[in-house]
Amino acid sequence: MLRQQDVGHRIVVRRIVGIREGRPLFSDALGELVELTETHLTLTTAQGRLRVPVGEVHRAKRVPPTRRPTAAAVVALELAADAAWPAPTRGRLGDWLLRSAEGWTGRANSALPVGDPDRPLPAALNAVERWYADLGQPAMVNTPLPLAAPVGAELDARGWGARPPVLVQTVPLATLRADHAGLPPVELTAAPSDDWLAVAAGRKGGLPDAARHVLTAVEQVRFARVYADGELLAVGRGTVTGARRLLGLTLIEVLPHAHRQGLATRVIRALADWGAALGATDAFLQVEQSNAPAVALYRSLGFTTHHTYLTRVAP
């Protein structure tokens, strides 16, 4: 049967879909395992998202990937994402990164176990737990999959929990073709306005001092705003990191009364134009796999999943 360390991997599931003449009928599904609980498993297939109750699973196993990014590509993207969302308090365990931002967002308050921690894995995780305990924070670890699968297996053995799976998605900037016709203009500024920060605070549950560092302490950053008749309708944030090659998109948010007007797309394309002018070649973002509307939007713009990660939380 599958285990938590199989999340993020390609699997095949044979499930029971009915009974005919006293014999079970089976159906096979192939895709990436994105969630595994005691009651069901969820995988993304070529036909979309499939949720299978455990009681219907006849057999399930991991299968070789069709094509996976190299470990170096995953590390490079994770480091670019870290530079785009920089925690103010930082430490290192060999190549591993330790990050804290007064508890504001999981990404800025978790260890990133990529590379060599310069000590055996159990000792490295003990050191992670001590580092966060000294700050008075719960220990968390972001595990890019399948790169950090050995870390995930050790955390499973320690009884750590997991937050919902996150998709790290990419697209060539050339795919994000700008179309400005008939749409309100997007303002790009080097610093966030008060109303921009208010939207971010509403989405992320407050805005401590550390949050302002996370948002602004990037050399190349722009804050997007869309107004109509003096009213703020949409916001977004773009960064260029990773040797000035990767445009990071964060906090793409449309106010509820302005949904379904194409404003999120407009914000993304405006930031793509800005990133391309700086020499960026690709865009990336991170989105919870369960956020179906956002995943559908990004798919329509050409984004595909590069890899996944789980935020693991100490018991």
Side-chain angles (χ1 to χ4, degrees):
M1 190 56 186
L2 300 171
R3 297 173 294 175
Q4 282 296 330
Q5 53 261 47
D6 296 313
V7 173
H9 292 268
R10 192 164 175 255
I11 65 166
V12 63
V13 178
R14 171 158 289 187
R15 59 191 180 115
I16 301 170
V17 295
I19 302 291
R20 179 181 295 168
E21 297 178 356
R23 306 181 68 173
L25 300 176
F26 298 106
S27 176
D28 293 339
L30 178 68
E32 181 178 301
L33 180 65
V34 295
E35 185 181 26
L36 179 63
T37 74
E38 294 181 356
T39 60
H40 68 274
L41 58 87
T42 304
L43 62 159
T44 53
T45 73
Q47 291 74 41
R49 186 170 181 258
L50 178 64
R51 188 175 186 271
V52 182
V54 168
E56 294 181 4
V57 176
H58 176 68
R59 187 176 302 160
K61 65 178 182 178
R62 190 191 299 186
V63 296
T66 52
R67 184 176 66 180
R68 283 282 184 185
T70 65
V74 172
V75 170
L77 183 50
E78 286 292 328
L79 293 179
D82 172 71
W85 199 253
T89 302
R90 304 173 71 86
R92 296 193 77 99
L93 286 176
D95 296 327
W96 286 20
L97 300 179
L98 306 175
R99 307 172 293 188
S100 174
E102 299 179 29
W104 194 73
T105 75
R107 277 177 284 168
N109 290 274
S110 56
L112 180 61
V114 295
D116 184 359
D118 203 24
R119 66 204 71 192
L121 178 56
L125 292 175
N126 290 341
V128 168
E129 292 174 342
R130 288 195 300 271
W131 193 83
Y132 285 99
D134 288 344
L135 293 175
Q137 290 185 222
M140 296 195 294
V141 176
N142 267 16
T143 53
L145 298 171
L147 180 67
V151 177
E154 178 67 21
L155 295 176
D156 286 342
R158 295 178 180 222
W160 282 47
R163 291 184 175 178
V166 174
L167 309 179
V168 182
Q169 300 195 315
T170 60
V171 68
L173 279 187
T175 302
L176 299 177
R177 301 186 182 279
D179 180 6
H180 306 279
L183 293 171
V186 177
E187 298 180 13
L188 299 182
T189 60
S193 61
D194 289 343
D195 54 359
W196 194 103
L197 290 171
V199 174
R203 179 170 174 180
K204 295 296 186 181
L207 210 66
D209 290 341
R212 294 174 182 266
H213 182 280
V214 172
L215 293 171
T216 62
V218 183
E219 181 180 357
Q220 296 293 344
V221 60
R222 288 295 182 270
F223 298 88
R225 299 178 298 175
V226 178
Y227 290 94
D229 299 324
E231 182 183 15
L232 181 64
L233 301 181
V235 301
R237 175 178 174 271
T239 56
V240 175
T241 58
R244 298 175 67 89
R245 192 177 63 83
L246 292 171
L247 170 71
L249 298 170
T250 53
L251 288 167
I252 307 299
E253 184 83 4
V254 178
L255 280 296
H257 61 281
H259 285 177
R260 301 188 182 280
Q261 298 180 31
L263 297 181
T265 298
R266 178 71 189 92
V267 166
I268 290 170
R269 286 174 169 165
L271 290 169
D273 290 345
W274 168 76
L278 289 178
T281 58
D282 296 88
F284 75 90
L285 53 80
Q286 297 164 320
V287 58
E288 284 195 6
Q289 191 273 335
S290 59
N291 188 348
V295 171
L297 168 65
Y298 300 141
R299 184 186 300 119
S300 72
L301 292 173
F303 282 89
T304 58
T305 298
H306 185 271
H307 64 277
T308 63
Y309 75 75
L310 292 176
T311 298
R312 306 298 303 272
V313 183

